[in-house]
Structure formats: C-alpha cells, structure tokens
Amino acid sequence: MAVSDTPAGADATSAPAGSSARAARPARRPRGEGQWALGHREPLNPNERTKKDDNPLNVRARIENIYAHRGFASIDPQDLRGRFRWWGLYTQRKAGIDGGRTAVLEPHELEDEYFMLRVRIDGGQLSLEQLRTIAEVSQRYARDTADITDRQNIQLHWIRVEDMPEIWRRLEAVGLQTTEACGDCPRIVLGSPVAGVAEDEKLDPTPAIDEIVRRYVGDPQYSNLPRKFKSSISWLADTPYEVNDISFLGVEHPEHGLGFDLWVGGGLSTNPMLAQRLGVWVPLDEVPDVWAGVVGIFRDYGYRRLRHRARLKFLVADWGVAKFREVLEKEYLGRSLLDGPAPELPAKPIDHIGVHRQRDGRHYVGAAPVVGRISGTQLAELADAAAEHGSGRVSLTPYQKLLVLDVPAERTDSLVAALRRIGLEAFPSVWRRDTMACTGLEYCKLAIVETKARGQELVARLEERLAGADLGEGLSIHLNGCPNACARTQTADIGLKGQLVVGPDGRQVEGFQVHLGGGLGMAQGQSAGFGRKLRGLKTTAAELPEYVERLTRRYLDGRTEGE
Ligand code: SF4
C-alpha cells in the first residue's frame, strides 16, 4: 500500500510561509501516533503488544483445545483480558463489588470466573431456529440471562469457559457467530430491523451486509485495528447512523438511481463526535469494497499510541472529510467516487414499535421489553408466539427492542396479546418505549453505577406517577454505568452518565451526571446534536425517579408552543 501522506497533525507543526520567527527554529518532528502507514510498527502500549504478539483470532483454538479442558485458572492473562474479546467474551464483574472500588482494584480483583458472551446478529434479523438456539444456550449455559443490546447483539452472562466449545457448536450450526463481537476489529454491522419488508424502503442493503460479514469478519487482514470499528448500513434512518465509525444511508441519486450516502467518523464515549458525510454516492454492489477501504484507512492510518485517541473519529477530525475521501479514492479504491446528494432524514429516530404494514401486505409487530432485559425463557416463548402467528423470523433493534416480522393482518391482535403475556409490550408507555440502559454494575467491570435494575425501577415509577403526561414525540432516557456511553448518553433527551456523587450525608454514593437535550435522526434543516452536560446537574441513583419526574414536570410546565 502506498505510504505517501503526511502524518495527521503534521501540518500544525509546519511554519507558515513568511513567518520568519518560526522559520528560524528547526522543524519539530511530528510525534508519531502509532500509525502503521507511517512506519510505526512497534507496539506503543500493552494492547498493541498483545495484538502483535499473536493475532487475537488464534485464541479460539486455545479455548477449544486447552482452556475449556483445564478451566479458568489455566487462562493466560493476555488471552483472558485481551484476545478473548475477539470471540465475544469478556470477564464478568464479581458480584458485590461497589462502584466506588472500580477504579482502585486490579482487573483480576474485579472479575469472577464467568464471562459475558456477545452473539453478533448482523443486520439484526433472526430466524426462529436461531432464536430458539440462543434461548437454549441461555437456559442451559447462561442461567437464563439475555440482554438485547443497543447494537442488535444478544448478550449472555454467567458463561463458563468449559462450555464454549459446545456453545459455538450450537450457535454455528444455525449460522450464528460470536466472531469479532468485541475487540479491536469490525464489530456487528447494524442494519434496519425492517430491511426487505418496510413499505418506505426502496433498496434492501442486506446483500451488502451479508457480503461484508462473509468476506471480512474473521479475516486476519482486518482483525488488528487500532480500536473497535462500528458499522451501520440501512436504507431507512432507523439506526443511530451518526455515531458509527462508518454508515451507509439510503439515498436516491438524480441520475444514477438508488444507492447509499457514506458517513464516517462518528462515535461517543468521553469525546463524542458525529459522523460526517463524505458527499459520495455508493451503489449497493460497491458497498463492501468501499467499507473495506475505510476499514483499511483506519487500520493503516489510525492512531495506536493512546487508546483514548484510537477511534476513527480522531483521524477524520484531524484530516477533514476532503482529505479522507482523497486517500480513500487514491490509495484504497484506485478510482474516484461519484458525488452524491444528502439523504432525507426523519424528524426523530424510528423505533418501529407497534403494528405496521409491510410492503407485501403482511405486518410486523414491534414490542418493548424493559431496558432490553429479557431471558432465555422469554426468547423461547417469543419463538413459539411468532410461529403460532404465522411468522418465521424476528429482528432486534438498536434501541433494545424486538420485532416479529411477516405476520398476517388478521393475526396481529392475537400476537400483541401473546407478546404481552410474555412481558413484551407492543403499545408501551413512553417511558418504557424510550428508556435504554447499558450493562452496568451487575456484570460490567468498568461500571461505577447499577443501571438495568435502576432503569426498570425508573420506568415503573414514571409509569405510575406520570401516567397521563402528554409527552408528544416521546422523551428518551439513556442510563449509562460509566463515562463510556455504551447506551449513548449524549444522544438522549435525558442522558445519564454513571459516576460517584455526594449523597445526603456527605458520603460518595452511586449517581449520575445529567446531559440534557441530545438528539439524533434530525430532519434536514435541523441538526443532530449532543445533550449538554451541565456541571450542577447531578442526582444520586436512589433519587433518580424523583429527579426525572421533577425535570419532566418542569419541562411540561415551561414548554413553548410546538416544542
Ligand atoms: Fe460498562 Fe460503562 Fe459501557 Fe455501561 S457504559 S456497559 S458501565 S463500560
């Protein structure tokens, strides 16, 4: 690959023409950020060292041949806390360790001998056979746990390394995988949960998602990236496309027809940035190549020195979209891309809850668990309910919800009732519909605050106290157990970032920093934006329901016409 470019940030160190004072100083060598394309191949931190010492994908063989037989204690620490993630495995937080000790304990003191296992469901769609398999794995190997994540994965808990060979055998027998579900590699590709059936979808991008997964997931060429790489490919703007490393969004070109608009460089966590349009139009059959080109840029030019600067968004921010497009075209595709128009964007995120007509005349039913928490038992019951109502598949949404697809019109009422009996609500309250929570203190080693149970309690209390409130378009609440923003803190009307706060008796307790007024999926003419973090806006976790109630009442009292 050509190595012809200046390093990111190098421009900032060159003296402008005519600046004699600066010209007199010897030019400062730009500090490398570990970009492979600029010759920095020696690992600059322990994570990079782990990846260089052995491709993380190789750990699968060790799990099957060694660790599953010899047990947890036999696992090499570099595999345990590093390479296992490439197969969807994280060590689980030990029960009973409060959030105040997260930052002071060593990793081995925080973890127990069980794992969280993420099953990737690219595009979000599952056959009933796949759904039943996940349900069985959950019931048999994961103590009946299952969370729908906000990236269309299903996450299981309490997994033992001894059971992994059998779990993989079962999952892979029905076409599911955990390959690169975590780690510094291409994670799950988000897709529209109604791809192929939505009335207002003009082009189904599923073939491109399938091709990317077939070609590149598990490919060692793309398995050592600077950090995680998040993708979204959808005709409809029904995924959080603005906060992915790469997004393809449906658009109609006036001359060339249906295709996709390309966005790069979105991401949240502690330094949130919205993705930017490259201004190009990509036809469906070129999406996999263009996707691989962007991943290639990230692999080769991405920053590897500091973990907190290693996401693609920093490179895009430093280069700007014009340079990014030029490098993509010249060095990775060997051709120019066509200029393209901007897509039309909806006024608010589309979550597909309720009963909706498909373009083939059948219907889909979108239903809400509470904050994505479900169980293997419920998943098995869901498969039965779907089958009894003429459906052969379900899909998961990036809002921790699920859909039953292909339901005959005359069966939808009965299905709604059946889903309600298993704890899934097709006509939920605004609170249940719009509240999401990350994994939190129950299982996550990085957490400071419990989130799932608090989210469930919050929804129940708000449903009780604000039952009749007219919230119009809804009110999104995202609970996060730490600053990492896995449940997209900054994109909610009320974003909650877990941290320690001062309690009523002056001691530190679990609480949240509050971000207000974030939003994605904005119509053209408006702009998507992040919620504002206001220094004084904090609440203890125990007072959260009262806090949100007060905030909502104040908003309802003070809102202006049309707000
Ligand atoms: Fe864990 Fe923090 Fe992510 Fe929540 S936001 S899942 S606590 S890392």
Side-chain angles (χ1 to χ4, degrees), residues 213-234:
V213 174
R214 191 188 67 75
R215 278 196 221 165
Y216 303 117
V217 172
D219 178 350
Q221 289 285 324
Y222 296 90
S223 66
N224 181 351
L225 304 180
R227 279 212 67 187
K228 59 187 153 189
F229 185 83
K230 296 183 173 182
S231 308
S232 170
I233 306 176
S234 177

Side-chain angles (χ1 to χ4, degrees), residues 14-133:
S14 344
S19 167
S20 57
R22 284 195 188 179
R25 258 190 266 140
R28 201 153 38 96
R29 274 195 69 184
R31 190 172 184 235
E33 297 219 50
Q35 307 97 312
W36 283 2
L38 304 179
H40 300 283
R41 295 299 295 224
E42 269 315 296
L44 294 169
N45 60 52
N47 294 81
E48 289 298 313
R49 166 59 62 196
T50 295
K51 290 183 281 183
K52 185 172 186 196
D53 284 351
D54 184 35
N55 189 306
L57 292 169
N58 295 337
V59 81
R60 167 82 178 254
R62 289 196 286 282
I63 294 172
E64 303 225 46
N65 300 326
I66 302 173
Y67 302 142
H69 303 283
R70 299 189 190 161
F72 187 87
S74 71
I75 303 171
D76 178 312
Q78 280 200 316
D79 285 346
L80 183 66
R81 299 182 197 103
R83 302 184 189 100
F84 266 47
R85 291 180 291 135
W86 272 250
W87 290 95
L89 288 158
Y90 279 97
T91 47
Q92 187 168 287
R93 187 187 187 93
K94 198 183 278 179
I97 299 182
D98 65 60
R101 290 196 285 161
T102 299
V104 294
L105 295 179
E106 293 295 320
H108 71 273
E109 296 175 298
L110 279 165
E111 67 201 7
D112 62 20
E113 299 194 349
Y114 297 93
F115 292 89
M116 302 194 284
L117 176 65
R118 219 171 264 166
V119 182
R120 64 183 294 157
I121 302 159
D122 295 273
Q125 299 207 4
L126 283 170
S127 69
L128 295 192
E129 184 188 32
Q130 291 173 325
L131 181 62
R132 286 205 168 93
T133 300

